């Protein structure tokens, strides 16, 4: 029997899906969506909040503020409610309705950015708003997931060792690139402890993270319009960029096998499929950041898919 006092105390660390039966891929998928926040972002959120409390930055009366496209906002809203802080999530139109409502259900507020920054896109505009709010009111505490070392340290201390323990013969690990916290934590761990493991970063087409040109993206999660401060490409062995059309196709392919995952997972699996088609690997693992319930009005909505990508996509 497991008894918890706070919602951040429950998490499943050792659940993997063997995708050979589902989609014919020699790939194990580490499922990070089975916690009360519903995503891998809970690990980083807890690490960053704990550090801010230890440093004295978070005190009674503090209000957390963070830029998020959805999952980190949900995790912080949950932690803020559990620990007695206020929370303001700054997001944009790509944050789906389900995520916004879930954040608000914890008693947090959501501010929607409607106009992108000319240089930094929606992310740049979101960060600019956060910075202005912190200057106006000293109650606000910005954890800054894009530069906070707690983001990658969370995965260096948990996610990566969990994978290493479960797969002692691991050849390649596929990690989606958003803030690059998960990517950098895992990459640094394996460089230090199992340098033979290849680290493949999976990014969305339209993201500038690895120097590719910016273009519109509709699916939240992976990719960014501002290069992440946490990123150190020297720890990455290969990079795969995935079109959103391929993300949607993979999500539906997984769903047809009984697994409804989120858009980020569809991207990572699609990228892994392409990489594995051209490279040899006996043991491969990919990280699935979240599940699919928050994407029912977008990735899994036929009308949304047809409107944005064209009807033949799901034929």
């Amino acid at each position: 029997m497991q008894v918890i006092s706070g919602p951040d105390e429950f998490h499943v660390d050792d659940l993997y899906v063997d995708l050979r039966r589902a989609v014919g891929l020699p790939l194990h998928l580490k499922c990070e969506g089975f916690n009360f926040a519903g995503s891998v972002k809970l690990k980083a959120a807890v690490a960053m909040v704990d550090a801010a409390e230890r440093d004295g930055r978070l005190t009674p009366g503090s209000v957390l503020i963070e830029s998020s496209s959805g999952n980190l906002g949900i995790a912080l809203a949950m932690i803020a409610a559990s620990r007695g802080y206020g929370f303001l999530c700054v997001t944009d139109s790509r944050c789906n309705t389900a995520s916004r409502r879930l954040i608000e259900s914890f008693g947090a507020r959501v501010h929607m950015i409607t106009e992108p920054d000319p240089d930094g896109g929606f992310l740049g505009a979101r960060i600019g708003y956060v910075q202005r709010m912190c200057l106006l009111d000293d109650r606000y505490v910005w954890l800054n997931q894009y530069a906070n070392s707690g983001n990658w340290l969370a995965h260096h201390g948990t996610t990566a060792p969990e994978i290493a323990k479960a797969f002692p013969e691991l050849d390649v690990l596929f990690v989606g690139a958003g803030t690059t916290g998960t990517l950098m934590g895992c990459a640094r761990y394996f460089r230090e402890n199992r340098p033979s493991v290849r680290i493949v970063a999976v990014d969305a087409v339209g993201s500038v993270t690895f120097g590719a040109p910016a273009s519109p993206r509709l699916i939240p999660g992976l990719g960014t319009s501002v290069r992440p401060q946490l990123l150190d490409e020297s720890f990455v062995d290969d990079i795969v960029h995935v079109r959103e059309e391929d993300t949607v196709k993979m999500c539906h392919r997984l769903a047809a096998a009984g697994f409804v995952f989120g858009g980020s997972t569809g991207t990572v699996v699609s990228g892994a499929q392409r990489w594995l088609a051209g490279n040899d690997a006996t043991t491969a693992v990919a990280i699935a950041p979240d599940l699919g319930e928050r994407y029912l009005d977008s990735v899994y909505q036929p009308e949304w898919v047809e409107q944005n990508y064209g009807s033949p996509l799901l034929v």
Side-chain angles (χ1 to χ4, degrees):
M1 180 175 66
Q2 184 176 8
V3 178
I4 63 173
S5 299
D8 57 300
E9 297 173 17
F10 172 78
H11 43 84
V12 177
D13 297 326
D14 56 356
L15 179 61
Y16 295 82
V17 176
D18 185 339
L19 291 181
R20 282 175 292 190
R21 175 180 167 186
V23 294
L25 290 178
L27 181 68
H28 285 83
L29 198 57
K30 188 181 195 305
C31 301
E32 290 283 350
F34 292 98
N35 55 58
F36 281 103
S39 82
V40 70
K41 288 292 189 178
L42 178 60
K43 290 177 174 178
V46 169
M48 292 188 294
V49 169
D50 284 349
E53 289 178 337
R54 288 194 303 269
D55 296 343
R57 294 180 60 210
L58 273 175
T59 57
S62 292
V63 179
L64 287 164
I65 185 170
E66 187 58 78
S67 158
S68 171
S69 61
N71 283 336
L72 183 75
I74 292 167
L76 287 175
M78 185 191 80
I79 294 170
S82 174
R83 303 192 187 186
Y85 302 116
F87 176 51
L88 173 60
C89 181
V90 181
T91 189
D92 59 60
S93 57
R94 289 172 299 177
C95 179
N96 56 56
T97 302
S99 294
R100 294 199 301 269
R101 289 177 176 171
L102 188 52
I103 291 169
E104 292 170 338
S105 74
F106 288 114
R109 294 179 293 135
V110 175
H111 178 80
M112 186 74 64
I113 297 294
T114 57
E115 294 294 331
D117 181 85
D119 299 317
F122 278 109
L123 177 56
R126 280 162 30 190
I127 292 174
Y129 182 86
V130 169
Q131 292 171 330
R132 290 192 298 274
M133 292 300 292
C134 290
L135 289 174
L136 289 171
D137 191 333
D138 60 10
R139 292 178 304 159
Y140 284 111
V141 176
W142 181 28
L143 299 175
N144 191 2
Q145 62 166 325
Y146 310 102
N148 192 318
S149 60
N151 190 344
W152 69 264
L153 283 168
H155 302 288
H156 186 276
T158 59
T159 311
E162 291 159 8
I163 295 170
K165 180 180 179 180
F167 295 90
E169 303 301 321
L170 183 66
D171 295 311
V172 58
L173 175 64
F174 300 94
V175 189
T179 64
T180 69
T182 308
L183 174 63
M184 286 293 96
C186 291
R188 289 175 183 273
Y189 176 89
F190 281 104
R191 178 67 60 84
E192 296 163 5
N193 297 280
R194 298 258 293 279
S196 63
V197 174
R198 297 190 69 178
I199 303 298
V200 178
V202 182
D203 198 10
V205 168
S207 166
V208 306
T209 298
F210 296 99
S215 62
R217 292 172 291 111
L218 300 175
I219 301 174
L222 301 187
T224 181
S225 56
V226 177
R227 180 182 168 88
Q229 293 174 267
L230 296 176
L231 177 62
D232 183 341
E233 290 186 54
S234 69
F235 288 92
V236 178
D237 296 298
D238 210 347
I239 303 162
V240 180
H241 284 89
V242 175
R243 300 183 314 146
E244 287 194 335
E245 292 89 341
D246 294 327
T247 292
V248 173
K249 288 178 181 178
M250 182 56 72
C251 284
H252 282 263
R253 186 177 175 189
L254 290 165
F259 297 103
V260 178
F261 285 107
S264 297
T265 300
T267 302
V268 172
V269 175
S270 180
Q273 178 187 39
R274 192 195 314 165
W275 191 92
L276 290 168
N279 297 272
D280 293 327
T282 302
T283 305
V285 171
I287 297 175
D290 60 3
L291 302 179
E293 291 89 344
R294 295 164 192 170
Y295 301 82
L296 296 180
D297 291 332
S298 55
V299 171
Y300 293 101
Q301 173 57 255
E303 290 79 9
W304 186 90
V305 173
E306 180 176 353
Q307 177 183 351
N308 290 289
Y309 305 110
S311 55
L313 191 61
L314 300 180
V315 174

